[in-house]
Amino acid sequence: MQHLEAVVFDWAGTLIDFGSKAPMSAFVESFLEFGVHISVADARGPMGMAKLDHIMAIGQAPHIAAQWTAAQGGVFDKAAAERIYAVFVPKNAEIITDYADLIPGAIPTIQAIRAQGLKIGTTTGYTRDLMDRVLPLVKAQGFEPDSLICAMETYAGRPSPAMMYQTFLNLQITASAHVVKVDDTEVGILEGLSAGAWTVGIAGTGNVMGLSEAEFNALTPEERDDRLDEAREIVAAWGCDYVIDSVAELMPVLEDIDEELDALGDPDAD
């Protein structure tokens, strides 16, 4: 490719953990320990944020904040979120390694990206200590990123562009328009848009669909088509440049973006 320099991936639901399942039970169980019942849908809403911010966003929903006040007294505030976060972290650490399998098609796509001479960066809502558990398992499957930026490592988390900016520095990127951000969450797409990168939303394997690979494959063809159509509409509404069902479909999109940059004359090419 003539113009693109790098692809920056999210992790859960994009590269690993089909359906982005790992944090869900940990969120539900952590709130329950404080007498607050949340649904998986509640837990999925702010997906992609740093996990403390994620908990804060869940707790500020009116129906959840009301439960907190009834069960714990007072308002749901940062101190309340920190209490839940202290319970959440070890729960998530216990299960995260069970959800480290690369999504089907990830390795061929990664190999094709490397063959084009592009660098691969990653950003995540997980903290470094959690990713330290995941990285060896992913490396054993054949993938190691050129850059990893974790939650709490920059001045702000998603949807700010901070983690993308640090990735640009790590990868020595010459122009944000030469980078493609791939993500299955709205805040992750906004992270890419805020940084001036191209964005590709994942509809089928990530947070919006919310199904494991087995659950996805168990759908009838009609059910699958309906669910995918709905997920694609949701993801497209985030404002991303492209929507695909999984990382396995990424290469034609990268080729299209590179051709578009060529057609535009790519003022940053020099």
Side-chain angles (χ1 to χ4, degrees):
M1 295 185 185
Q2 298 181 62
H3 307 286
L4 288 179
E5 297 180 59
V7 181
V8 181
F9 290 102
D10 174 53
W11 282 86
T14 300
L15 284 178
I16 63 170
D17 187 6
F18 197 115
S20 195
K21 304 287 262 187
M24 294 304 107
S25 62
F27 280 128
V28 172
E29 291 174 11
S30 297
F31 273 85
L32 191 57
E33 288 201 16
F34 294 87
V36 178
H37 296 260
I38 69 169
S39 68
V40 170
D42 291 326
R44 285 196 178 279
M47 198 63 165
M49 290 182 171
K51 295 302 178 269
L52 179 57
D53 294 339
H54 189 139
I55 289 169
M56 189 70 185
I58 293 173
Q60 288 177 328
H63 67 290
I64 296 172
Q67 286 191 65
W68 178 269
T69 299
Q72 298 293 320
V75 298
F76 189 93
D77 55 12
K78 185 176 181 181
E82 289 173 343
R83 289 172 64 192
I84 295 174
Y85 182 72
V87 173
F88 169 82
V89 169
K91 287 182 182 294
N92 202 26
E94 286 177 8
I95 64 172
I96 193 171
T97 55
D98 295 331
Y99 295 87
D101 289 344
L102 285 163
I103 287 169
I107 286 296
T109 297
I110 288 163
Q111 291 172 337
I113 291 170
R114 297 282 196 209
Q116 290 292 332
L118 305 184
K119 299 171 183 177
I120 296 178
T122 58
T123 66
T124 181
Y126 285 136
T127 54
R128 179 69 60 169
D129 59 328
L130 291 176
M131 287 306 298
D132 283 344
R133 296 169 179 258
V134 171
L135 286 174
L137 301 176
V138 174
K139 184 176 181 180
Q141 297 171 66
F143 173 57
E144 187 172 13
D146 300 313
S147 173
L148 165 63
I149 307 300
C150 298
M152 318 298 277
E153 293 183 341
T154 54
Y155 66 85
R158 297 166 173 168
S160 90
M163 289 197 288
M164 288 292 289
Y165 289 162
Q166 186 60 56
T167 301
F168 294 167
L169 293 173
N170 289 357
L171 299 182
Q172 300 181 350
I173 299 302
T174 63
S176 60
H178 298 174
V179 178
V180 179
K181 177 68 197 302
V182 186
D183 208 296
D184 68 300
T185 68
E186 183 174 13
V187 293
I189 291 298
L190 292 175
E191 171 191 40
L193 291 171
S194 298
W198 296 80
T199 55
V200 180
I202 300 287
T205 67
N207 187 58
V208 173
M209 184 70 77
L211 300 178
S212 68
E213 185 177 0
E215 291 167 338
F216 182 85
N217 290 335
L219 297 174
T220 66
E222 294 79 12
E223 290 171 333
R224 189 177 305 170
D225 288 345
D226 288 345
R227 293 286 296 269
L228 282 172
D229 284 344
E230 181 180 354
R232 290 168 189 148
E233 288 184 12
I234 292 170
V235 173
W238 300 341
C240 44
D241 298 296
Y242 295 84
V243 177
I244 58 178
D245 291 339
S246 86
V247 66
E249 302 171 358
L250 183 61
M251 285 311 298
V253 171
L254 299 184
E255 292 165 2
D256 189 66
I257 291 171
D258 200 71
E259 289 174 4
E260 189 163 348
L261 284 168
D262 196 54
L264 291 170
D266 191 5
D268 296 310
D270 297 330

